[in-house]
Amino acid sequence: MTKCQNCRHAGKHGFCSLGEDAKAFMDTNSVTMEYPRGSVLFREGDRPSAAFVLCSGKVKVSASSREGRTMILRIADAGDVLGLSAALTNGDHEVTVEVLEPCRARVLPLKFLHNLLRDYPDASLGAAKVLAVDYRAAFDEARLVSLPGSPAGRVARLILDWAAEAKKNSAAFVTMTLTHEEVASMTATTRETVTRTLSKMRKEKVISTHGVALTVLQPRVLEQMSAC
Amino acid sequence: MTKCQNCRHAGKHGFCSLGEDAKAFMDTNSVTMEYPRGSVLFREGDRPSAAFVLCSGKVKVSASSREGRTMILRIADAGDVLGLSAALTNGDHEVTVEVLEPCRARVLPLKFLHNLLRDYPDASLGAAKVLAVDYRAAFDEARLVSLPGSPAGRVARLILDWAAEAKKNSAAFVTMTLTHEEVASMTATTRETVTRTLSKMRKEKVISTHGVALTVLQPRVLEQMSAC
DNA sequence: TAAGCTAAGTGATTGAAATCACGAGAAATG
DNA sequence: CATTTCTCGTGATTTCAATCACTTAGCTTA
Protein backbone atom coordinates (compact mmCIF):
# COMPACT_ATOMS: atom_id res chain seq x y z
CA MET A 1 0.00 0.00 0.00
CA THR A 2 1.27 3.44 -0.94
CA LYS A 3 1.99 5.68 2.03
CA CYS A 4 2.84 9.32 2.46
CA GLN A 5 5.31 8.35 5.15
CA ASN A 6 7.74 6.89 2.68
CA CYS A 7 7.13 9.37 -0.14
CA ARG A 8 10.25 10.46 -2.01
CA HIS A 9 8.85 13.90 -2.79
CA ALA A 10 9.31 14.73 0.87
CA GLY A 11 10.56 18.26 1.30
CA LYS A 12 9.81 19.41 -2.20
CA HIS A 13 6.21 20.47 -1.81
CA GLY A 14 3.70 21.82 0.66
CA PHE A 15 1.94 18.64 1.66
CA CYS A 16 4.84 16.26 1.13
CA SER A 17 6.99 17.82 3.82
CA LEU A 18 4.77 17.54 6.84
CA GLY A 19 5.80 16.15 10.20
CA GLU A 20 5.57 12.43 10.85
CA ASP A 21 2.35 12.62 12.84
CA ALA A 22 0.59 14.73 10.20
CA LYS A 23 1.69 12.26 7.53
CA ALA A 24 0.42 9.36 9.59
CA PHE A 25 -2.87 11.21 9.93
CA MET A 26 -2.95 11.62 6.14
CA ASP A 27 -2.20 7.94 5.58
CA THR A 28 -5.05 6.79 7.76
CA ASN A 29 -7.58 9.35 6.51
CA SER A 30 -7.06 9.48 2.78
CA VAL A 31 -6.72 6.98 -0.04
CA THR A 32 -4.54 6.72 -3.10
CA MET A 33 -6.36 6.58 -6.42
CA GLU A 34 -5.23 5.82 -9.95
CA TYR A 35 -6.48 7.88 -12.88
CA PRO A 36 -6.07 6.99 -16.57
CA ARG A 37 -5.27 9.52 -19.27
CA GLY A 38 -8.27 11.67 -20.11
CA SER A 39 -10.02 11.40 -16.77
CA VAL A 40 -11.08 14.54 -14.99
CA LEU A 41 -10.36 15.13 -11.30
CA PHE A 42 -12.80 18.02 -11.17
CA ARG A 43 -14.41 20.59 -13.42
CA GLU A 44 -14.69 24.37 -13.39
CA GLY A 45 -17.87 25.25 -11.50
CA ASP A 46 -18.00 22.01 -9.53
CA ARG A 47 -18.59 22.19 -5.83
CA PRO A 48 -15.37 20.84 -4.30
CA SER A 49 -15.49 17.57 -2.45
CA ALA A 50 -11.79 16.93 -2.01
CA ALA A 51 -8.28 18.18 -2.67
CA PHE A 52 -5.73 16.04 -4.50
CA VAL A 53 -2.03 15.55 -3.95
CA LEU A 54 -0.36 14.26 -7.11
CA CYS A 55 2.00 11.36 -6.42
CA SER A 56 2.92 10.70 -10.04
CA GLY A 57 1.80 11.56 -13.57
CA LYS A 58 0.87 14.85 -15.18
CA VAL A 59 -2.33 16.86 -15.28
CA LYS A 60 -3.54 19.88 -17.21
CA VAL A 61 -5.02 22.78 -15.24
CA SER A 62 -7.33 24.89 -17.39
CA ALA A 63 -10.31 27.22 -17.51
CA SER A 64 -12.60 28.06 -20.37
CA SER A 65 -15.32 30.41 -21.52
CA ARG A 66 -18.76 29.21 -22.58
CA GLU A 67 -17.79 29.86 -26.19
CA GLY A 68 -15.22 27.09 -26.03
CA ARG A 69 -12.14 29.24 -25.73
CA THR A 70 -9.68 27.53 -23.37
CA MET A 71 -6.84 28.83 -21.25
CA ILE A 72 -4.30 26.36 -19.89
CA LEU A 73 -2.90 27.69 -16.62
CA ARG A 74 -0.23 25.09 -16.08
CA ILE A 75 0.81 21.48 -16.30
CA ALA A 76 1.09 20.06 -12.80
CA ASP A 77 3.08 17.01 -11.77
CA ALA A 78 4.28 14.99 -8.78
CA GLY A 79 3.99 16.83 -5.46
CA ASP A 80 1.56 19.45 -6.70
CA VAL A 81 -1.72 19.93 -4.86
CA LEU A 82 -4.92 20.49 -6.81
CA GLY A 83 -8.16 22.10 -5.74
CA LEU A 84 -6.90 23.70 -2.56
CA SER A 85 -7.91 27.29 -3.26
CA ALA A 86 -11.53 26.33 -3.82
CA ALA A 87 -11.46 24.22 -0.66
CA LEU A 88 -10.07 27.08 1.42
CA THR A 89 -12.31 29.81 0.07
CA ASN A 90 -15.46 27.69 0.20
CA GLY A 91 -16.10 28.53 -3.42
CA ASP A 92 -16.60 26.38 -6.50
CA HIS A 93 -13.65 25.07 -8.45
CA GLU A 94 -12.37 27.78 -10.75
CA VAL A 95 -10.41 25.38 -12.94
CA THR A 96 -10.72 22.01 -14.63
CA VAL A 97 -8.06 19.37 -13.97
CA GLU A 98 -7.61 16.70 -16.63
CA VAL A 99 -5.13 13.84 -16.63
CA LEU A 100 -2.46 13.98 -19.35
CA GLU A 101 -0.27 11.09 -18.18
CA PRO A 102 -1.66 8.31 -15.96
CA CYS A 103 -1.71 9.53 -12.38
CA ARG A 104 -1.57 8.32 -8.86
CA ALA A 105 -3.07 10.83 -6.44
CA ARG A 106 -3.85 11.08 -2.77
CA VAL A 107 -7.45 12.14 -2.27
CA LEU A 108 -8.12 14.39 0.73
CA PRO A 109 -11.85 14.74 1.42
CA LEU A 110 -12.85 18.25 2.50
CA LYS A 111 -13.79 17.38 6.05
CA PHE A 112 -10.50 15.61 6.59
CA LEU A 113 -8.63 18.50 5.02
CA HIS A 114 -10.19 20.97 7.42
CA ASN A 115 -9.32 18.79 10.38
CA LEU A 116 -5.78 18.46 9.12
CA LEU A 117 -5.43 22.22 8.82
CA ARG A 118 -6.97 22.81 12.21
CA ASP A 119 -4.93 20.24 14.14
CA TYR A 120 -1.52 20.43 12.49
CA PRO A 121 0.08 23.88 12.31
CA ASP A 122 2.65 22.73 9.75
CA ALA A 123 -0.22 21.64 7.51
CA SER A 124 -1.70 25.13 7.35
CA LEU A 125 1.73 26.58 6.67
CA GLY A 126 2.12 23.91 3.99
CA ALA A 127 -1.23 24.95 2.57
CA ALA A 128 -0.03 28.53 2.43
CA LYS A 129 3.02 27.39 0.49
CA VAL A 130 0.88 25.39 -1.91
CA LEU A 131 -1.27 28.44 -2.48
CA ALA A 132 1.89 30.45 -3.10
CA VAL A 133 2.79 28.00 -5.85
CA ASP A 134 -0.70 28.19 -7.33
CA TYR A 135 -0.47 31.96 -7.16
CA ARG A 136 2.86 31.93 -8.89
CA ALA A 137 1.53 29.76 -11.71
CA ALA A 138 -1.44 32.07 -12.26
CA PHE A 139 0.79 35.12 -12.04
CA ASP A 140 3.25 33.70 -14.54
CA GLU A 141 0.43 32.87 -16.91
CA ALA A 142 -0.97 36.40 -16.63
CA ARG A 143 2.49 37.79 -17.19
CA LEU A 144 3.13 35.50 -20.13
CA VAL A 145 -0.03 36.56 -21.84
CA SER A 146 0.06 40.26 -20.94
CA LEU A 147 3.60 41.40 -21.36
CA PRO A 148 5.06 40.17 -24.64
CA GLY A 149 3.52 42.22 -27.42
CA SER A 150 3.07 39.50 -30.02
CA PRO A 151 1.85 35.91 -30.11
CA ALA A 152 5.25 34.89 -31.45
CA GLY A 153 6.82 36.56 -28.42
CA ARG A 154 4.59 34.63 -26.07
CA VAL A 155 5.51 31.33 -27.68
CA ALA A 156 9.17 32.31 -27.38
CA ARG A 157 8.70 33.14 -23.71
CA LEU A 158 6.99 29.81 -23.07
CA ILE A 159 9.84 27.89 -24.69
CA LEU A 160 12.34 29.80 -22.55
CA ASP A 161 10.37 28.90 -19.43
CA TRP A 162 10.39 25.25 -20.45
CA ALA A 163 14.11 25.40 -21.15
CA ALA A 164 14.75 26.88 -17.70
CA GLU A 165 12.68 24.08 -16.18
CA ALA A 166 14.57 21.46 -18.18
CA LYS A 167 17.88 22.92 -17.08
CA LYS A 168 16.80 22.67 -13.45
CA ASN A 169 16.29 18.93 -14.00
CA SER A 170 19.62 18.85 -15.86
CA ALA A 171 17.97 17.75 -19.09
CA ALA A 172 19.72 18.59 -22.36
CA PHE A 173 16.51 19.40 -24.17
CA VAL A 174 12.86 20.20 -23.62
CA THR A 175 10.36 17.39 -23.95
CA MET A 176 7.34 18.90 -25.60
CA THR A 177 4.38 16.58 -25.25
CA LEU A 178 1.72 19.22 -25.81
CA THR A 179 -0.06 19.64 -29.12
CA HIS A 180 0.15 22.95 -30.96
CA GLU A 181 -3.47 23.46 -30.02
CA GLU A 182 -2.55 23.23 -26.35
CA VAL A 183 0.41 25.53 -26.72
CA ALA A 184 -1.97 27.99 -28.36
CA SER A 185 -4.21 27.78 -25.27
CA MET A 186 -1.29 28.66 -23.05
CA THR A 187 -0.25 31.64 -25.13
CA ALA A 188 -3.60 33.10 -26.07
CA THR A 189 -3.19 32.55 -29.77
CA THR A 190 -4.29 30.07 -32.47
CA ARG A 191 -3.01 26.70 -33.52
CA GLU A 192 -1.93 27.96 -36.94
CA THR A 193 0.12 30.76 -35.42
CA VAL A 194 1.91 28.30 -33.14
CA THR A 195 2.72 26.04 -36.09
CA ARG A 196 3.99 28.96 -38.15
CA THR A 197 6.02 30.44 -35.31
CA LEU A 198 7.73 27.11 -34.58
CA SER A 199 8.38 26.55 -38.30
CA LYS A 200 10.01 29.95 -38.57
CA MET A 201 12.14 29.34 -35.49
CA ARG A 202 13.30 26.06 -36.95
CA LYS A 203 14.05 27.63 -40.32
CA GLU A 204 16.07 30.38 -38.66
CA LYS A 205 17.94 27.84 -36.52
CA VAL A 206 16.69 29.36 -33.27
CA ILE A 207 15.43 25.98 -32.12
CA SER A 208 15.65 22.43 -33.43
CA THR A 209 13.28 19.53 -32.94
CA HIS A 210 13.51 15.76 -33.17
CA GLY A 211 10.10 14.35 -32.41
CA VAL A 212 9.12 15.59 -28.96
CA ALA A 213 12.68 16.74 -28.18
CA LEU A 214 13.11 20.49 -28.58
CA THR A 215 16.51 22.13 -28.25
CA VAL A 216 17.04 25.86 -27.88
CA LEU A 217 19.92 26.93 -30.12
CA GLN A 218 19.81 30.69 -29.67
CA PRO A 219 18.29 31.69 -26.33
CA ARG A 220 19.26 35.31 -26.92
CA VAL A 221 17.04 35.53 -29.97
CA LEU A 222 14.13 34.04 -28.05
CA GLU A 223 14.73 36.56 -25.26
CA GLN A 224 14.59 39.35 -27.76
CA MET A 225 11.40 38.07 -29.36
CA SER A 226 9.64 37.66 -26.04
CA ALA A 227 10.63 41.08 -24.79
CA CYS A 228 9.48 43.08 -27.78
CA MET B 1 -2.07 55.03 18.42
CA THR B 2 -3.62 52.77 15.80
CA LYS B 3 -4.06 49.20 16.91
CA CYS B 4 -5.05 45.98 15.21
CA GLN B 5 -7.08 45.05 18.25
CA ASN B 6 -9.75 47.61 17.49
CA CYS B 7 -9.64 47.31 13.70
CA ARG B 8 -13.01 47.42 11.99
CA HIS B 9 -11.92 45.19 9.13
CA ALA B 10 -11.91 42.33 11.59
CA GLY B 11 -13.28 39.20 10.01
CA LYS B 12 -13.06 40.35 6.44
CA HIS B 13 -9.49 39.43 5.63
CA GLY B 14 -6.75 36.96 6.45
CA PHE B 15 -4.73 38.98 8.91
CA CYS B 16 -7.54 41.11 10.28
CA SER B 17 -9.40 38.18 11.78
CA LEU B 18 -6.79 36.70 14.09
CA GLY B 19 -7.33 35.78 17.70
CA GLU B 20 -6.85 38.38 20.41
CA ASP B 21 -3.40 37.17 21.42
CA ALA B 22 -2.10 37.10 17.86
CA LYS B 23 -3.40 40.63 17.35
CA ALA B 24 -1.75 41.80 20.54
CA PHE B 25 1.46 40.24 19.27
CA MET B 26 1.03 42.17 16.02
CA ASP B 27 0.39 45.41 17.86
CA THR B 28 3.56 45.16 19.88
CA ASN B 29 5.78 43.93 17.04
CA SER B 30 4.78 46.03 14.08
CA VAL B 31 4.19 49.69 13.36
CA THR B 32 1.64 51.65 11.39
CA MET B 33 3.02 53.81 8.60
CA GLU B 34 1.49 56.48 6.39
CA TYR B 35 2.26 56.61 2.68
CA PRO B 36 1.40 59.48 0.32
CA ARG B 37 0.15 59.01 -3.22
CA GLY B 38 2.92 57.92 -5.55
CA SER B 39 5.10 56.22 -2.97
CA VAL B 40 6.21 52.66 -3.57
CA LEU B 41 5.96 49.99 -0.89
CA PHE B 42 8.27 47.69 -2.82
CA ARG B 43 9.45 47.01 -6.35
CA GLU B 44 9.56 43.96 -8.60
CA GLY B 45 12.92 42.28 -8.04
CA ASP B 46 13.45 43.72 -4.56
CA ARG B 47 14.49 41.38 -1.81
CA PRO B 48 11.55 41.42 0.61
CA SER B 49 12.07 42.98 4.02
CA ALA B 50 8.49 43.09 5.22
CA ALA B 51 4.88 42.34 4.42
CA PHE B 52 2.21 45.04 4.57
CA VAL B 53 -1.36 44.97 5.77
CA LEU B 54 -3.37 47.80 4.27
CA CYS B 55 -5.49 49.63 6.84
CA SER B 56 -6.83 52.29 4.48
CA GLY B 57 -6.22 53.72 1.02
CA LYS B 58 -5.65 52.06 -2.33
CA VAL B 59 -2.59 50.63 -4.02
CA LYS B 60 -1.77 49.41 -7.50
CA VAL B 61 -0.18 45.96 -7.85
CA SER B 62 1.72 45.64 -11.11
CA ALA B 63 4.55 43.96 -12.98
CA SER B 64 6.42 45.11 -16.05
CA SER B 65 8.86 44.03 -18.72
CA ARG B 66 12.17 45.80 -19.25
CA GLU B 67 10.74 47.41 -22.38
CA GLY B 68 8.30 49.38 -20.27
CA ARG B 69 5.23 47.33 -20.94
CA THR B 70 3.16 47.18 -17.74
CA MET B 71 0.56 44.76 -16.46
CA ILE B 72 -1.66 45.83 -13.56
CA LEU B 73 -2.70 42.76 -11.60
CA ARG B 74 -5.15 44.41 -9.28
CA ILE B 75 -6.05 47.39 -7.17
CA ALA B 76 -5.81 46.45 -3.50
CA ASP B 77 -7.50 48.22 -0.60
CA ALA B 78 -8.22 48.02 3.12
CA GLY B 79 -7.59 44.60 4.62
CA ASP B 80 -5.46 43.31 1.76
CA VAL B 81 -2.00 41.96 2.49
CA LEU B 82 0.90 42.81 0.20
CA GLY B 83 4.17 41.01 -0.34
CA LEU B 84 3.25 37.79 1.41
CA SER B 85 4.00 35.36 -1.40
CA ALA B 86 7.57 36.59 -1.74
CA ALA B 87 7.99 36.41 2.02
CA LEU B 88 6.73 32.83 2.13
CA THR B 89 8.67 31.51 -0.83
CA ASN B 90 11.91 33.26 0.12
CA GLY B 91 12.05 34.76 -3.34
CA ASP B 92 12.24 38.33 -4.57
CA HIS B 93 9.14 40.44 -4.95
CA GLU B 94 7.44 39.57 -8.23
CA VAL B 95 5.33 42.73 -8.30
CA THR B 96 5.57 46.45 -7.67
CA VAL B 97 3.14 48.06 -5.22
CA GLU B 98 2.47 51.76 -5.69
CA VAL B 99 0.14 53.97 -3.66
CA LEU B 100 -2.84 55.38 -5.55
CA GLU B 101 -4.74 56.90 -2.64
CA PRO B 102 -2.93 57.89 0.58
CA CYS B 103 -2.48 54.79 2.71
CA ARG B 104 -2.11 53.67 6.24
CA ALA B 105 -0.44 50.28 6.49
CA ARG B 106 0.78 47.94 9.16
CA VAL B 107 4.38 46.92 8.43
CA LEU B 108 5.32 43.35 9.39
CA PRO B 109 9.09 42.80 9.26
CA LEU B 110 10.06 39.39 7.88
CA LYS B 111 11.49 38.02 11.09
CA PHE B 112 8.39 38.97 13.00
CA LEU B 113 6.18 37.53 10.28
CA HIS B 114 7.91 34.16 10.51
CA ASN B 115 7.53 34.12 14.28
CA LEU B 116 3.88 35.01 13.94
CA LEU B 117 3.29 32.17 11.49
CA ARG B 118 5.24 29.73 13.63
CA ASP B 119 3.58 30.56 16.95
CA TYR B 120 -0.02 31.28 15.99
CA PRO B 121 -1.79 28.56 14.00
CA ASP B 122 -4.60 30.91 13.01
CA ALA B 123 -2.00 33.22 11.49
CA SER B 124 -0.73 30.57 9.09
CA LEU B 125 -4.28 29.67 8.16
CA GLY B 126 -4.87 33.40 7.65
CA ALA B 127 -1.79 33.54 5.47
CA ALA B 128 -3.17 30.69 3.39
CA LYS B 129 -6.39 32.64 2.92
CA VAL B 130 -4.46 35.74 1.93
CA LEU B 131 -2.57 33.72 -0.62
CA ALA B 132 -5.85 32.33 -1.89
CA VAL B 133 -6.99 35.90 -2.51
CA ASP B 134 -3.73 36.76 -4.27
CA TYR B 135 -4.10 33.62 -6.33
CA ARG B 136 -7.63 34.54 -7.26
CA ALA B 137 -6.57 38.01 -8.38
CA ALA B 138 -3.80 36.61 -10.56
CA PHE B 139 -6.11 33.93 -11.93
CA ASP B 140 -8.81 36.46 -12.74
CA GLU B 141 -6.28 38.65 -14.50
CA ALA B 142 -5.01 35.71 -16.54
CA ARG B 143 -8.57 34.79 -17.40
CA LEU B 144 -9.48 38.36 -18.27
CA VAL B 145 -6.59 38.66 -20.65
CA SER B 146 -6.73 35.16 -22.14
CA LEU B 147 -10.35 34.37 -22.71
CA PRO B 148 -12.17 37.25 -24.36
CA GLY B 149 -11.08 37.36 -27.99
CA SER B 150 -10.87 41.09 -28.50
CA PRO B 151 -9.49 44.07 -26.56
CA ALA B 152 -12.95 45.59 -26.61
CA GLY B 153 -14.23 42.38 -25.02
CA ARG B 154 -11.65 42.59 -22.26
CA VAL B 155 -12.60 46.16 -21.45
CA ALA B 156 -16.23 45.09 -21.34
CA ARG B 157 -15.38 42.22 -18.98
CA LEU B 158 -13.44 44.58 -16.70
CA ILE B 159 -16.36 46.99 -16.47
CA LEU B 160 -18.67 44.11 -15.61
CA ASP B 161 -16.30 43.02 -12.85
CA TRP B 162 -16.27 46.54 -11.47
CA ALA B 163 -20.03 46.73 -11.65
CA ALA B 164 -20.34 43.47 -9.70
CA GLU B 165 -17.97 44.85 -7.09
CA ALA B 166 -19.95 48.10 -6.88
CA LYS B 167 -23.17 46.16 -6.46
CA LYS B 168 -21.65 44.22 -3.56
CA ASN B 169 -21.03 47.56 -1.84
CA SER B 170 -24.55 48.62 -2.84
CA ALA B 171 -23.26 51.50 -4.95
CA ALA B 172 -25.43 52.74 -7.80
CA PHE B 173 -22.50 53.27 -10.14
CA VAL B 174 -18.85 52.39 -10.66
CA THR B 175 -16.28 54.94 -9.53
CA MET B 176 -13.55 54.80 -12.13
CA THR B 177 -10.45 56.53 -10.83
CA LEU B 178 -8.02 54.83 -13.20
CA THR B 179 -6.66 56.51 -16.30
CA HIS B 180 -7.26 54.97 -19.71
CA GLU B 181 -3.58 54.10 -19.74
CA GLU B 182 -4.04 52.08 -16.56
CA VAL B 183 -7.15 50.36 -17.87
CA ALA B 184 -5.11 49.45 -20.93
CA SER B 185 -2.50 47.87 -18.64
CA MET B 186 -5.17 45.74 -17.05
CA THR B 187 -6.62 44.55 -20.34
CA ALA B 188 -3.46 44.06 -22.39
CA THR B 189 -4.31 46.70 -24.95
CA THR B 190 -3.40 50.32 -25.74
CA ARG B 191 -4.60 53.63 -24.37
CA GLU B 192 -6.17 54.64 -27.68
CA THR B 193 -8.17 51.43 -27.92
CA VAL B 194 -9.54 51.96 -24.42
CA THR B 195 -10.58 55.51 -25.28
CA ARG B 196 -12.23 54.41 -28.50
CA THR B 197 -13.98 51.46 -26.89
CA LEU B 198 -15.43 53.61 -24.11
CA SER B 199 -16.50 56.27 -26.63
CA LYS B 200 -18.28 53.67 -28.68
CA MET B 201 -20.01 52.23 -25.61
CA ARG B 202 -21.19 55.70 -24.66
CA LYS B 203 -22.41 56.44 -28.16
CA GLU B 204 -24.33 53.17 -28.24
CA LYS B 205 -25.82 53.86 -24.78
CA VAL B 206 -24.27 50.75 -23.29
CA ILE B 207 -22.71 52.79 -20.52
CA SER B 208 -22.91 56.41 -19.40
CA THR B 209 -20.33 58.51 -17.57
CA HIS B 210 -20.40 61.66 -15.47
CA GLY B 211 -16.83 62.43 -14.46
CA VAL B 212 -15.55 59.41 -12.58
CA ALA B 213 -19.03 57.92 -12.20
CA LEU B 214 -19.70 55.15 -14.70
CA THR B 215 -23.12 53.52 -15.01
CA VAL B 216 -23.78 50.30 -16.87
CA LEU B 217 -26.95 50.70 -18.92
CA GLN B 218 -26.97 47.42 -20.84
CA PRO B 219 -25.13 44.67 -18.98
CA ARG B 220 -26.34 42.10 -21.50
CA VAL B 221 -24.53 43.84 -24.31
CA LEU B 222 -21.32 43.95 -22.28
CA GLU B 223 -21.70 40.26 -21.49
CA GLN B 224 -22.02 39.52 -25.15
CA MET B 225 -18.98 41.60 -26.07
CA SER B 226 -16.82 39.97 -23.43
CA ALA B 227 -17.78 36.46 -24.42
CA CYS B 228 -17.13 36.74 -28.13
C1' DT C 1 -3.84 -2.99 -45.03
C1' DA C 2 -7.21 0.02 -45.50
C1' DA C 3 -10.01 3.23 -43.39
C1' DG C 4 -10.60 6.82 -40.19
C1' DC C 5 -9.05 10.33 -37.13
C1' DT C 6 -6.25 13.65 -35.09
C1' DA C 7 -2.25 16.67 -35.50
C1' DA C 8 0.61 19.49 -38.25
C1' DG C 9 1.79 22.35 -42.11
C1' DT C 10 0.67 26.07 -45.46
C1' DG C 11 -1.54 29.58 -48.69
C1' DA C 12 -4.93 33.42 -49.29
C1' DT C 13 -7.75 36.81 -47.43
C1' DT C 14 -9.24 40.24 -44.30
C1' DG C 15 -10.24 42.88 -40.57
C1' DA C 16 -9.31 44.76 -36.21
C1' DA C 17 -6.10 46.88 -33.37
C1' DA C 18 -1.35 48.80 -32.90
C1' DT C 19 1.13 52.59 -34.22
C1' DC C 20 1.93 57.31 -35.45
C1' DA C 21 0.64 61.99 -35.13
C1' DC C 22 -1.66 65.84 -33.51
C1' DG C 23 -4.64 69.08 -30.76
C1' DA C 24 -7.64 70.29 -26.91
C1' DG C 25 -8.63 70.30 -22.22
C1' DA C 26 -7.64 69.44 -17.30
C1' DA C 27 -4.71 69.51 -13.60
C1' DA C 28 -0.68 69.85 -11.20
C1' DT C 29 3.30 72.95 -10.01
C1' DG C 30 6.20 76.67 -9.15
C1' DC D 1 -1.78 82.86 -12.58
C1' DA D 2 1.05 81.36 -15.96
C1' DT D 3 3.31 77.35 -17.56
C1' DT D 4 4.24 72.79 -17.95
C1' DT D 5 2.72 68.25 -17.76
C1' DC D 6 -0.73 64.64 -17.92
C1' DT D 7 -4.93 62.81 -19.85
C1' DC D 8 -8.19 62.22 -23.35
C1' DG D 9 -10.09 62.34 -27.94
C1' DT D 10 -9.63 61.27 -32.96
C1' DG D 11 -7.98 60.70 -37.78
C1' DA D 12 -4.82 58.18 -41.03
C1' DT D 13 -1.99 54.35 -41.93
C1' DT D 14 -0.13 49.87 -41.55
C1' DT D 15 0.75 45.54 -39.90
C1' DC D 16 0.19 41.16 -38.28
C1' DA D 17 -2.42 37.52 -36.60
C1' DA D 18 -7.20 35.40 -36.91
C1' DT D 19 -9.89 33.02 -40.00
C1' DC D 20 -11.04 30.01 -43.75
C1' DA D 21 -9.84 26.29 -46.56
C1' DC D 22 -7.14 22.46 -47.88
C1' DT D 23 -3.31 19.10 -48.00
C1' DT D 24 -0.13 16.05 -45.79
C1' DA D 25 1.59 13.12 -42.22
C1' DG D 26 1.24 9.95 -38.40
C1' DC D 27 -1.43 6.98 -35.38
C1' DT D 28 -5.13 3.98 -34.10
C1' DT D 29 -8.26 0.18 -34.68
C1' DA D 30 -11.19 -2.51 -37.18
Side-chain angles (χ1 to χ4, degrees):
Chain A
M1 207 279 191
T2 325
K3 285 197 168 189
C4 290
Q5 295 184 48
N6 31 0
C7 172
R8 61 204 175 311
H9 300 302
K12 276 206 281 185
H13 293 270
F15 276 17
C16 301
S17 49
L18 300 177
E20 281 308 309
D21 41 353
K23 276 192 178 174
F25 187 61
M26 278 189 67
D27 280 331
T28 54
N29 286 285
S30 67
V31 291
T32 303
M33 297 275 288
E34 305 265 353
Y35 299 91
R37 177 179 164 80
S39 53
V40 171
L41 301 194
F42 51 83
R43 280 218 161 72
E44 198 180 345
D46 283 357
R47 183 125 284 273
S49 62
F52 300 79
V53 181
L54 264 197
C55 306
S56 68
K58 282 189 179 177
V59 299
K60 180 169 79 175
V61 181
S62 67
S64 53
S65 63
R66 281 123 269 132
E67 285 64 33
R69 216 174 193 101
T70 301
M71 150 181 95
I72 297 180
L73 258 176
R74 62 176 176 137
I75 307 298
D77 54 14
D80 286 325
V81 182
L82 288 317
L84 195 58
S85 73
L88 278 180
T89 56
N90 278 315
D92 292 341
H93 284 300
E94 74 286 356
V95 291
T96 297
V97 172
E98 185 191 332
V99 175
L100 286 181
E101 293 173 15
C103 284
R104 204 150 31 77
R106 199 86 201 168
V107 183
L108 318 181
L110 271 203
K111 195 166 285 178
F112 158 69
L113 180 67
H114 286 133
N115 291 343
L116 181 73
L117 294 175
R118 173 165 44 78
D119 299 339
Y120 298 89
D122 53 341
S124 43
L125 202 52
K129 284 180 180 158
V130 167
L131 263 302
V133 169
D134 283 8
Y135 162 72
R136 202 50 186 248
F139 174 78
D140 287 344
E141 172 67 11
R143 197 192 164 91
L144 172 69
V145 175
S146 293
L147 291 185
S150 68
R154 298 195 285 273
V155 174
R157 170 88 276 149
L158 186 63
I159 293 176
L160 284 172
D161 290 348
W162 284 343
E165 184 68 21
K167 201 169 188 181
K168 251 185 21 194
N169 305 336
S170 44
F173 49 80
V174 174
T175 307
M176 186 176 108
T177 48
L178 300 179
T179 67
H180 290 184
E181 188 85 51
E182 289 170 321
V183 172
S185 292
M186 301 185 78
T187 49
T189 183
T190 59
R191 197 219 88 220
E192 292 93 323
T193 300
V194 171
T195 300
R196 278 189 252 266
T197 301
L198 291 177
S199 295
K200 204 170 163 210
M201 287 176 177
R202 248 172 318 205
K203 193 157 45 184
E204 293 171 358
K205 310 269 181 225
V206 178
I207 62 171
S208 75
T209 55
H210 303 288
V212 293
L214 185 158
T215 313
V216 176
L217 303 175
Q218 304 184 50
R220 306 284 293 276
V221 177
L222 289 182
E223 288 281 0
Q224 206 160 348
M225 290 178 72
S226 75
C228 182
Chain B
M1 207 273 190
T2 326
K3 286 194 166 191
C4 289
Q5 295 184 50
N6 30 0
C7 172
R8 62 207 175 308
H9 299 304
K12 277 205 280 185
H13 294 269
F15 276 17
C16 301
S17 49
L18 301 177
E20 280 308 309
D21 41 353
K23 276 194 178 173
F25 188 60
M26 278 189 68
D27 279 331
T28 54
N29 287 284
S30 67
V31 291
T32 303
M33 296 275 287
E34 304 266 353
Y35 298 91
R37 174 178 167 83
S39 53
V40 171
L41 300 195
F42 51 82
R43 279 218 160 71
E44 198 179 346
D46 284 356
R47 183 127 285 274
S49 62
F52 300 79
V53 181
L54 265 196
C55 306
S56 68
K58 282 189 178 175
V59 299
K60 179 169 79 175
V61 181
S62 67
S64 55
S65 63
R66 280 124 269 128
E67 285 65 31
R69 219 177 189 94
T70 301
M71 151 180 92
I72 297 180
L73 258 175
R74 62 176 175 134
I75 307 298
D77 54 13
D80 286 325
V81 182
L82 289 316
L84 196 59
S85 74
L88 279 179
T89 56
N90 277 313
D92 292 340
H93 283 300
E94 73 287 356
V95 291
T96 298
V97 172
E98 185 192 332
V99 174
L100 286 182
E101 293 174 15
C103 284
R104 205 150 31 76
R106 199 87 201 167
V107 182
L108 318 181
L110 271 203
K111 196 165 283 175
F112 159 69
L113 180 69
H114 286 133
N115 291 344
L116 180 74
L117 294 175
R118 174 167 44 78
D119 299 339
Y120 298 89
D122 52 342
S124 45
L125 202 51
K129 284 181 179 159
V130 168
L131 263 303
V133 170
D134 283 8
Y135 162 71
R136 203 48 186 251
F139 174 78
D140 287 343
E141 172 68 11
R143 199 193 162 91
L144 171 69
V145 175
S146 293
L147 291 185
S150 68
R154 296 195 286 273
V155 175
R157 170 88 277 148
L158 186 62
I159 293 176
L160 284 171
D161 290 349
W162 285 343
E165 184 69 22
K167 202 170 187 179
K168 248 183 25 191
N169 306 336
S170 45
F173 50 81
V174 174
T175 307
M176 187 175 109
T177 48
L178 300 179
T179 66
H180 291 182
E181 188 85 51
E182 288 170 322
V183 172
S185 292
M186 301 185 78
T187 48
T189 182
T190 60
R191 197 220 91 218
E192 293 93 322
T193 300
V194 171
T195 300
R196 277 190 252 267
T197 303
L198 291 177
S199 295
K200 204 170 163 212
M201 286 176 177
R202 247 172 317 202
K203 193 156 47 185
E204 293 171 358
K205 309 269 181 225
V206 178
I207 61 171
S208 74
T209 56
H210 303 288
V212 293
L214 185 157
T215 313
V216 176
L217 302 175
Q218 303 186 50
R220 306 285 292 278
V221 177
L222 289 182
E223 287 282 1
Q224 205 160 349
M225 290 179 71
S226 75
C228 180

